[in-house]
């Protein structure tokens, strides 16, 4: 299992007329979480893409428990619980600065070869960085 | 059951570096779908909010099958399959202009009293507009 | 001179905590305006890009006079007042559904060769479509 | 004069089909810059709004010199060169992590009383925090 945590402030642009973070804007937060988790094991997602491997999201579900508000300092915990084969799965827990649970979510992404637009297995370069975390 | 269909073009702002619609941007499409479904039965969501009833999203899940591309003319079908009580549920099917299935999704929203910030039942004004579609 | 008009509704996602359209979100409206102006003379911006010509924005200025509100039905008038050479210039006037002036803006874009990343002159395919509007 | 600097990474959600940051998304960066400048002198913009003072943007202009790219670590310098009276003016310089100038911009905001929706002068609470920086 791999866990990573990031903190960031809610931007004005992310709020909506209700004064809450717009429900679609959490997707960008989750993306930051998984990108930083990958960076923490030594993999730049940008470099992966530059090598011709895309990671489009295949499935996404999210449960909104409490609203995130403007200027809130949020903490996002991102976890990878399985070594990826053809899919890569992340789960997320978002809390505000007093530890209140705001949102839980999970995403499944696939690996795609940019040239052929076809699904591929997890590239070796990434797999070998992740594997040590899943031995026991 | 109530169904509604809207069509719109993918905006440049909605695309990402992969050339696809960014996965978080579909949320705004779905919001348009349910707002237009409500308008089709005679209810303005803006009016509902102006009367102090908020409809925050509680749960959202989405399955991405094919990518929507810049300038694609998309068609979104939104359905309400149950008369709402304390929650209102919508399902969505998004297709491109050759009828290819791109995305399916569903959302559950709750009714909240703006003054008390507490959940309430579906307001009568909305309930009475929806009920005729669910008699049998 | 070429003029074009489009109408569209403000989406919930585009509002902010003040209840207005967030000031950065008008950029996407203007993009729709210029894309539809080009389409009206027979040029698909997507096709232009697929042929390797990019049109990044170089300068953008905007004056906010009245706020656009959620669910407002807006009308955007886009104008091209000069035949483009190395730059292409658009001006914009945005009004709400009672004709109130909300926003004026202008943008200058350049033509860039996608392969070399270098500025180029307006492609002939586009120039020849635009020229008839500027003869006198 | 007051200056402030923030650093942040470009998010995937902020890129577009060209692979650059979408031109409308810089607005959210500038908002972060001015909010942090105000925080640095002891003023929370959120608190200001909670006290009934809104700061809508009145004029915004931006010059794009070089594109910001996905995952770039950007540095934004925000400056206030005049003590605000009825308007508050900020200028911005955005650079990437090798110091290359990407974007310059400026914004003018007005103070609005949330209850009356009318322009007001800079609130005393803010003015007294800013004044010490402009004495000479």
């Amino acid at each position: 299992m791999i866990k990573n945590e990031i903190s960031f402030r809610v931007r004005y642009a992310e709020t909506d007329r209700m004064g809450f973070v717009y429900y679609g804007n959490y997707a960008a937060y989750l993306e930051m979480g998984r990108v930083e988790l990958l960076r923490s094991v030594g993999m730049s997602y940008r470099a992966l893409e530059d090598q011709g491997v895309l990671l489009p999201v295949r499935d996404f579900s999210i449960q909104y428990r409490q609203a995130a508000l403007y200027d809130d300092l949020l903490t996002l915990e991102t976890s990878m619980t399985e070594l990826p084969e053809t899919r890569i799965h992340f789960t997320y827990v978002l809390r505000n600065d007093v530890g209140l649970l705001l949102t839980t979510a999970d995403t499944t992404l696939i690996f795609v070869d940019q040239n052929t637009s076809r699904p591929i297995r997890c590239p070796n370069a990434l797999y070998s960085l992740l594997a040590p975390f899943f031995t026991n």
Side-chain angles (χ1 to χ4, degrees), chain A residues 83-97:
Chain A
L83 196 52
E85 304 286 341
T86 60
R87 298 179 169 219
I88 186 164
H89 187 75
F90 298 92
T91 58
Y92 311 86
V93 177
L94 184 70
R95 296 176 190 274
N96 69 9
D97 65 350

mmCIF file of all heavy atoms in Angstrom, chain A residues 83-97:
data_model
loop_
_atom_site.group_PDB
_atom_site.id
_atom_site.type_symbol
_atom_site.label_atom_id
_atom_site.label_comp_id
_atom_site.label_asym_id
_atom_site.label_seq_id
_atom_site.Cartn_x
_atom_site.Cartn_y
_atom_site.Cartn_z
ATOM 1 N N LEU A 83 -1.140 -3.256 -6.512
ATOM 2 C CA LEU A 83 -0.160 -3.047 -7.575
ATOM 3 C C LEU A 83 -0.917 -3.056 -8.913
ATOM 4 O O LEU A 83 -1.683 -3.966 -9.179
ATOM 5 C CB LEU A 83 0.845 -4.205 -7.505
ATOM 6 C CG LEU A 83 2.176 -4.099 -8.219
ATOM 7 C CD1 LEU A 83 2.931 -2.830 -7.885
ATOM 8 C CD2 LEU A 83 3.024 -5.324 -7.863
ATOM 9 N N PRO A 84 -0.757 -2.062 -9.744
ATOM 10 C CA PRO A 84 -1.528 -1.995 -10.989
ATOM 11 C C PRO A 84 -1.073 -3.014 -12.030
ATOM 12 O O PRO A 84 0.124 -3.293 -12.142
ATOM 13 C CB PRO A 84 -1.262 -0.567 -11.487
ATOM 14 C CG PRO A 84 0.010 -0.150 -10.851
ATOM 15 C CD PRO A 84 0.105 -0.884 -9.552
ATOM 16 N N GLU A 85 -2.073 -3.563 -12.748
ATOM 17 C CA GLU A 85 -1.760 -4.439 -13.890
ATOM 18 C C GLU A 85 -2.219 -3.696 -15.156
ATOM 19 O O GLU A 85 -1.438 -2.952 -15.722
ATOM 20 C CB GLU A 85 -2.491 -5.778 -13.735
ATOM 21 C CG GLU A 85 -2.186 -6.511 -12.429
ATOM 22 C CD GLU A 85 -0.790 -7.150 -12.415
ATOM 23 O OE1 GLU A 85 -0.204 -7.339 -13.498
ATOM 24 O OE2 GLU A 85 -0.277 -7.460 -11.314
ATOM 25 N N THR A 86 -3.480 -3.842 -15.525
ATOM 26 C CA THR A 86 -3.975 -3.093 -16.687
ATOM 27 C C THR A 86 -4.707 -1.833 -16.244
ATOM 28 O O THR A 86 -5.028 -0.991 -17.063
ATOM 29 C CB THR A 86 -4.930 -3.953 -17.540
ATOM 30 O OG1 THR A 86 -6.032 -4.335 -16.700
ATOM 31 C CG2 THR A 86 -4.229 -5.204 -18.041
ATOM 32 N N ARG A 87 -5.007 -1.759 -14.954
ATOM 33 C CA ARG A 87 -5.697 -0.601 -14.414
ATOM 34 C C ARG A 87 -4.961 -0.125 -13.183
ATOM 35 O O ARG A 87 -4.277 -0.897 -12.537
ATOM 36 C CB ARG A 87 -7.138 -0.968 -14.040
ATOM 37 C CG ARG A 87 -7.900 -1.413 -15.256
ATOM 38 C CD ARG A 87 -9.311 -1.805 -14.975
ATOM 39 N NE ARG A 87 -9.964 -1.955 -16.263
ATOM 40 C CZ ARG A 87 -11.201 -1.595 -16.542
ATOM 41 N NH1 ARG A 87 -11.953 -1.079 -15.595
ATOM 42 N NH2 ARG A 87 -11.699 -1.737 -17.756
ATOM 43 N N ILE A 88 -5.141 1.122 -12.860
ATOM 44 C CA ILE A 88 -4.524 1.677 -11.662
ATOM 45 C C ILE A 88 -5.627 2.363 -10.868
ATOM 46 O O ILE A 88 -6.411 3.134 -11.397
ATOM 47 C CB ILE A 88 -3.333 2.594 -12.015
ATOM 48 C CG1 ILE A 88 -2.586 3.070 -10.764
ATOM 49 C CG2 ILE A 88 -3.737 3.759 -12.860
ATOM 50 C CD1 ILE A 88 -1.196 3.645 -11.056
ATOM 51 N N HIS A 89 -5.688 2.005 -9.596
ATOM 52 C CA HIS A 89 -6.810 2.392 -8.752
ATOM 53 C C HIS A 89 -6.306 3.258 -7.598
ATOM 54 O O HIS A 89 -5.306 2.933 -6.961
ATOM 55 C CB HIS A 89 -7.456 1.102 -8.218
ATOM 56 C CG HIS A 89 -8.710 1.326 -7.474
ATOM 57 N ND1 HIS A 89 -9.898 1.641 -8.096
ATOM 58 C CD2 HIS A 89 -8.976 1.292 -6.147
ATOM 59 C CE1 HIS A 89 -10.843 1.783 -7.186
ATOM 60 N NE2 HIS A 89 -10.309 1.585 -5.992
ATOM 61 N N PHE A 90 -7.008 4.363 -7.355
ATOM 62 C CA PHE A 90 -6.666 5.241 -6.227
ATOM 63 C C PHE A 90 -7.918 5.505 -5.388
ATOM 64 O O PHE A 90 -9.011 5.636 -5.944
ATOM 65 C CB PHE A 90 -6.146 6.599 -6.721
ATOM 66 C CG PHE A 90 -4.888 6.548 -7.536
ATOM 67 C CD1 PHE A 90 -4.944 6.461 -8.927
ATOM 68 C CD2 PHE A 90 -3.640 6.607 -6.927
ATOM 69 C CE1 PHE A 90 -3.789 6.426 -9.691
ATOM 70 C CE2 PHE A 90 -2.473 6.577 -7.687
ATOM 71 C CZ PHE A 90 -2.542 6.482 -9.076
ATOM 72 N N THR A 91 -7.727 5.605 -4.071
ATOM 73 C CA THR A 91 -8.823 6.059 -3.212
ATOM 74 C C THR A 91 -8.373 7.334 -2.490
ATOM 75 O O THR A 91 -7.170 7.549 -2.290
ATOM 76 C CB THR A 91 -9.234 4.994 -2.174
ATOM 77 O OG1 THR A 91 -8.087 4.672 -1.374
ATOM 78 C CG2 THR A 91 -9.730 3.734 -2.861
ATOM 79 N N TYR A 92 -9.363 8.127 -2.113
ATOM 80 C CA TYR A 92 -9.073 9.470 -1.607
ATOM 81 C C TYR A 92 -9.940 9.796 -0.399
ATOM 82 O O TYR A 92 -11.123 9.426 -0.370
ATOM 83 C CB TYR A 92 -9.384 10.521 -2.681
ATOM 84 C CG TYR A 92 -8.819 10.234 -4.036
ATOM 85 C CD1 TYR A 92 -9.514 9.432 -4.943
ATOM 86 C CD2 TYR A 92 -7.588 10.763 -4.427
ATOM 87 C CE1 TYR A 92 -9.007 9.169 -6.212
ATOM 88 C CE2 TYR A 92 -7.074 10.509 -5.691
ATOM 89 C CZ TYR A 92 -7.790 9.706 -6.581
ATOM 90 O OH TYR A 92 -7.280 9.452 -7.825
ATOM 91 N N VAL A 93 -9.354 10.515 0.547
ATOM 92 C CA VAL A 93 -10.112 11.060 1.675
ATOM 93 C C VAL A 93 -9.717 12.525 1.809
ATOM 94 O O VAL A 93 -8.529 12.845 1.949
ATOM 95 C CB VAL A 93 -9.803 10.307 2.983
ATOM 96 C CG1 VAL A 93 -10.561 10.938 4.153
ATOM 97 C CG2 VAL A 93 -10.150 8.834 2.854
ATOM 98 N N LEU A 94 -10.709 13.399 1.773
ATOM 99 C CA LEU A 94 -10.455 14.838 1.859
ATOM 100 C C LEU A 94 -11.003 15.372 3.179
ATOM 101 O O LEU A 94 -12.152 15.107 3.537
ATOM 102 C CB LEU A 94 -11.156 15.546 0.687
ATOM 103 C CG LEU A 94 -10.921 17.051 0.552
ATOM 104 C CD1 LEU A 94 -9.492 17.352 0.115
ATOM 105 C CD2 LEU A 94 -11.903 17.651 -0.460
ATOM 106 N N ARG A 95 -10.185 16.103 3.895
ATOM 107 C CA ARG A 95 -10.582 16.678 5.183
ATOM 108 C C ARG A 95 -10.260 18.175 5.206
ATOM 109 O O ARG A 95 -9.374 18.624 4.490
ATOM 110 C CB ARG A 95 -9.804 15.995 6.334
ATOM 111 C CG ARG A 95 -10.117 14.537 6.493
ATOM 112 C CD ARG A 95 -9.256 13.884 7.591
ATOM 113 N NE ARG A 95 -9.427 12.441 7.552
ATOM 114 C CZ ARG A 95 -10.406 11.783 8.190
ATOM 115 N NH1 ARG A 95 -11.267 12.452 8.927
ATOM 116 N NH2 ARG A 95 -10.514 10.474 8.091
ATOM 117 N N ASN A 96 -10.963 18.899 6.069
ATOM 118 C CA ASN A 96 -10.618 20.321 6.230
ATOM 119 C C ASN A 96 -9.606 20.478 7.356
ATOM 120 O O ASN A 96 -9.114 19.473 7.887
ATOM 121 C CB ASN A 96 -11.870 21.184 6.422
ATOM 122 C CG ASN A 96 -12.557 20.939 7.735
ATOM 123 O OD1 ASN A 96 -12.037 20.253 8.602
ATOM 124 N ND2 ASN A 96 -13.740 21.504 7.881
ATOM 125 N N ASP A 97 -9.292 21.712 7.720
ATOM 126 C CA ASP A 97 -8.154 21.915 8.631
ATOM 127 C C ASP A 97 -8.483 21.607 10.092
ATOM 128 O O ASP A 97 -7.585 21.650 10.936
ATOM 129 C CB ASP A 97 -7.559 23.319 8.481
ATOM 130 C CG ASP A 97 -8.539 24.389 8.894
ATOM 131 O OD1 ASP A 97 -9.723 24.078 9.111
ATOM 132 O OD2 ASP A 97 -8.121 25.546 8.994
#
